[in-house]
Amino acid sequence: MTDSSKRDMGVKYAADRIAIERPRLREALDFLVDILAVQRELAREVVSPALEPTLPRVREAARRVGGGRSLLDLVDLPELPPSAWEMIALKILEVIRRHRRDLESHVAIVEGAIKSKRLDIRGLAESLLSGGGELVERESERLGVEAPLMETLSLWLAQTLLRSLSSAIAGEIGFEGWREGRCPVCGSHTRVGYMRGEGRKLYLKCSVCGTEWPFQRIKCPFCGNEDGQTLGFYTLGEDRRFRLYFCERCGRYWKVVDEEEAGGQIPAELYDVWTSHLDAIAKRKGLR
Ligand SMILES: [Zn+2]
Ligand SMILES: [Zn+2]
């Protein structure tokens, strides 16, 4: 068995463990496990070879990350040939089709637009990072498909490229100069983190590119508030594995897995889904 298929098995096994505890997550987990496996396959076969020539320049920029400027503030999103984008998009759509039979007709429309080169795939991935949802909205309207389908496709397109990029430059990023709640690689905000090791050091994990970076415990990743009086967290009764942090100043929340309590059996890429019950609690408390 290759390393990557071992890793896929590990993620699948961890997803099964979560589903035993919380059967309602079964479908979401199966979907996620499949998309992660396809993204890893695409990273290996399509993205990594295409990124190779740009890596020296990107690695050099990675060492200059700091002072609030993420890697993608310093360099453009790397180019991929249109054929690579097309293959990535079609593979992702295959997974969506398998798990969302109800969206079949919409998936077929998007697939047709890709095959006839009527969809700006790179543009969709880029629009996710620039935070401008206009292109996604415009394209879903133009094609007459559900906007959430287009949003999900954009996220998974960007992830496929950026996870590969992030792991290619791991070890090069100067985390010392990075005190932001935004990702030092792609600049996205995240609401997922974990505490690890003695002293329970806090790390945030980017939900887009997967980068993990150390972050101050008493600080809001969204507005930078460091006043302990207006920051806090909830735990769920006796269950000490999860913390729901909140900031009274901006009303945002973030979710932290205490790995000292949780043990190491669940890989961090499943934390967002694993902690989805905290999203529901946050919503009930009026956090966003
Ligand atoms: Zn990122
Ligand atoms: Zn805040």
Side-chain angles (χ1 to χ4, degrees):
M1 204 185 253
T2 64
D3 276 358
S4 64
S5 53
K6 259 190 228 154
R7 183 137 185 231
D8 289 344
M9 284 302 291
V11 173
K12 198 169 159 15
Y13 178 68
D16 289 342
R17 289 180 68 113
I18 297 174
I20 289 168
E21 199 186 327
R22 293 222 301 283
R24 278 167 58 183
L25 290 180
R26 177 85 265 176
E27 254 179 61
L29 284 162
D30 288 346
F31 200 168
L32 180 61
V33 165
D34 279 359
I35 197 72
L36 287 171
V38 161
Q39 284 179 326
R40 253 198 290 278
E41 179 196 324
L42 287 164
R44 202 173 51 237
E45 321 260 316
V46 183
V47 184
S48 293
L51 285 183
E52 203 56 44
T54 63
L55 278 186
R57 192 171 57 86
V58 178
R59 286 210 174 96
E60 184 276 322
R63 292 191 281 272
R64 288 188 286 120
V65 161
R69 284 159 68 83
S70 70
L71 179 71
L72 287 190
D73 290 329
L74 299 168
V75 292
D76 288 335
L77 193 66
E79 292 290 341
L80 290 183
S83 59
W85 277 122
E86 193 177 312
M87 187 189 286
I88 293 169
L90 291 175
K91 283 267 190 186
I92 289 173
L93 281 175
E94 240 172 65
V95 179
I96 298 178
R97 167 174 278 142
R98 223 168 33 240
H99 287 273
R100 292 293 305 271
R101 289 272 164 220
D102 55 317
L103 290 178
E104 168 60 35
S105 57
H106 295 249
V107 169
I109 294 171
V110 179
E111 198 178 64
I114 291 167
K115 286 183 175 160
S116 59
K117 326 254 181 259
R118 287 183 295 116
L119 191 65
D120 178 7
I121 308 172
R122 179 190 160 90
L124 283 179
E126 269 178 336
S127 76
L128 181 105
L129 291 165
S130 60
E134 301 93 36
L135 180 70
V136 172
E137 212 172 297
R138 210 169 52 235
E139 289 296 70
S140 3
E141 241 169 61
R142 184 172 65 88
L143 298 174
V145 299
E146 301 255 6
L149 169 63
M150 216 55 131
E151 278 158 25
T152 305
L153 178 62
S154 309
L155 171 66
W156 288 344
L157 286 168
Q159 272 181 348
T160 308
L161 171 59
L162 289 169
R163 288 193 170 159
S164 186
L165 180 75
S166 173
S167 51
I169 57 159
E172 306 282 340
I173 304 164
F175 288 123
E176 320 75 47
W178 195 258
R179 311 210 173 288
E180 316 274 321
R182 288 189 315 131
C183 170
V185 172
C186 73
S188 303
H189 272 287
T190 180
R191 57 167 88 259
V192 184
Y194 59 83
M195 294 188 292
R196 183 175 288 176
E198 213 166 307
R200 289 181 158 78
K201 224 174 149 2
L202 175 67
Y203 298 84
L204 294 180
K205 181 168 181 66
C206 179
S207 307
V208 179
C209 75
T211 302
E212 301 174 5
W213 70 102
F215 192 67
Q216 240 170 278
R217 257 259 287 281
I218 315 286
K219 184 174 179 176
C220 170
F222 296 95
C223 74
N225 176 19
E226 293 183 33
D227 167 22
Q229 302 288 322
T230 49
L231 294 165
F233 66 84
Y234 302 105
T235 49
L236 307 174
E238 293 297 293
D239 189 351
R240 301 270 155 195
R241 293 174 299 172
F242 310 107
R243 292 184 182 186
L244 171 62
Y245 276 85
F246 58 88
C247 169
E248 286 174 1
R249 195 168 285 176
C250 69
R252 307 297 293 253
Y253 74 93
W254 56 105
K255 310 178 292 182
V256 174
V257 174
D258 183 348
E259 292 191 346
E260 299 306 298
E261 296 283 342
Q265 289 110 340
I266 307 296
E269 51 205 324
L270 299 182
Y271 283 179
D272 197 14
V273 173
W274 194 26
T275 56
S276 53
H277 52 309
L278 301 184
D279 296 304
I281 296 170
K283 209 160 273 169
R284 280 204 298 278
K285 293 187 181 292
L287 298 162
R288 59 193 180 93

